Amino acid sequence: MGFKHGKDTKVFFGNTEFSTFINSVDLTRTADIAETTVFGKGSKTFTVGQKDGVATIAGFYDTTMDTQLNTMLGNATNTLLLVGTGGVDATDGCSFGNILETNYGESSPVGEIVAFSCDLQSNNGLYNGSVLENNTYTTTATGTARDNTIPTINGGAGFLVITTASGSTPTATIKIQHSADNSTYVDLLTFTQATGATSEIKQVAKGTTVNRYLKVVATLGGTSPSFSAIIGFGRNN
């Protein structure tokens, strides 16, 4: 497996890429543990609790970036965060989740570029996964089967980022299907029908088997529809 250079990282808030303003992304996933030690034990014992995830993002000040971060600060509505490790092409690794902004600061040192930093709290965890498709859809299409080599049994989540859409009353119904044998596929999740640029995370309940193979199916409607979409999935361990 080859190493990834940080220069190729892509960062999206919602349906918009902000990579050109950002030069640092730090993602941290944690798991709580609770002590279960009782009398008579010579060593402490613990049990695993809930997982969490936070992010810190920094870069250079720009009014576009400033508007986005000021809008998110104190806003109770989730924003989708997508970080593509090495890019967001099909099969690229990525991290994603719904986030709330907890801190936003600016720094203006004399002789240096005005900079910013922000802290983000995940709302229901950060997922680690991969991009299934990055495509501009103009007609109904089925994507390439992506092989995880093994099934998993604890659910996960999929993400959809549509950056641009056009046409006369265009619609896109995008779903992720899974298969045990790369022959018979059934629906795993279906995103809300899109009529324009949008973003969404759809969860698959814990305890749900996610089969070995995944693929994307996009069904388009309207006149001359066009949707530029990034779709991915992350499995729970």
Side-chain angles (χ1 to χ4, degrees):
M1 179 179 178
F3 296 112
K4 298 281 188 180
H5 197 286
K7 69 179 178 60
D8 297 320
T9 298
K10 302 286 187 180
V11 181
F12 289 76
F13 288 114
N15 57 30
T16 305
E17 182 181 356
F18 289 91
S19 309
T20 55
F21 310 116
I22 296 170
N23 62 11
S24 175
V25 179
D26 294 307
L27 302 171
T28 303
R29 298 177 181 86
T30 60
D32 295 336
I33 58 171
E35 187 173 346
T36 58
T37 311
V38 296
F39 293 127
K41 288 284 188 180
S43 299
K44 291 183 177 182
T45 59
F46 297 86
T47 187
V48 175
Q50 296 162 308
K51 292 182 179 180
D52 193 13
V54 296
T56 297
I57 293 178
F60 298 118
Y61 176 88
D62 180 90
T63 54
T64 302
M65 188 83 254
D66 180 65
T67 298
Q68 175 68 30
L69 294 177
N70 271 311
T71 300
M72 289 167 50
L73 186 62
N75 193 328
T77 302
N78 290 324
T79 299
L80 182 149
L81 171 68
L82 169 62
V83 178
T85 308
V88 288
D89 292 329
T91 74
D92 281 341
C94 63
S95 296
F96 63 96
N98 285 319
I99 53 94
L100 301 169
E101 186 179 4
T102 60
N103 181 62
Y104 172 42
E106 298 172 13
S107 175
S108 302
V110 63
E112 300 291 342
I113 300 295
V114 178
F116 79 88
S117 64
C118 66
D119 296 321
L120 308 169
Q121 171 65 56
S122 67
N123 192 1
N124 211 16
L126 284 176
Y127 291 90
N128 185 44
S130 62
V131 177
L132 300 176
E133 298 291 343
N134 184 341
N135 193 19
T136 297
Y137 294 95
T138 58
T139 187
T140 295
T142 298
T144 302
R146 308 299 179 187
D147 186 1
N148 191 59
T149 70
I150 58 171
T152 51
I153 59 172
N154 204 25
F159 71 84
L160 169 66
V161 174
I162 295 180
T163 56
T164 61
S166 63
S168 177
T169 61
T171 63
T173 300
I174 295 177
K175 61 178 68 176
I176 297 175
Q177 296 185 329
H178 65 153
S179 172
D181 58 6
N182 198 24
S183 177
T184 301
Y185 279 84
V186 296
D187 294 349
L188 178 62
L189 63 86
T190 302
F191 296 102
T192 303
Q193 186 180 75
T195 58
T198 188
S199 63
E200 183 181 9
I201 290 176
K202 200 86 168 181
Q203 294 181 339
V204 176
K206 289 186 177 181
T208 301
T209 295
V210 180
N211 290 322
R212 171 176 173 174
Y213 298 93
L214 298 177
K215 70 177 179 181
V216 174
V217 177
T219 304
L220 271 60
T223 303
S224 302
S226 178
F227 290 86
S228 295
I230 308 167
I231 307 103
F233 192 82
R235 298 169 184 256
N236 286 328
N237 294 328

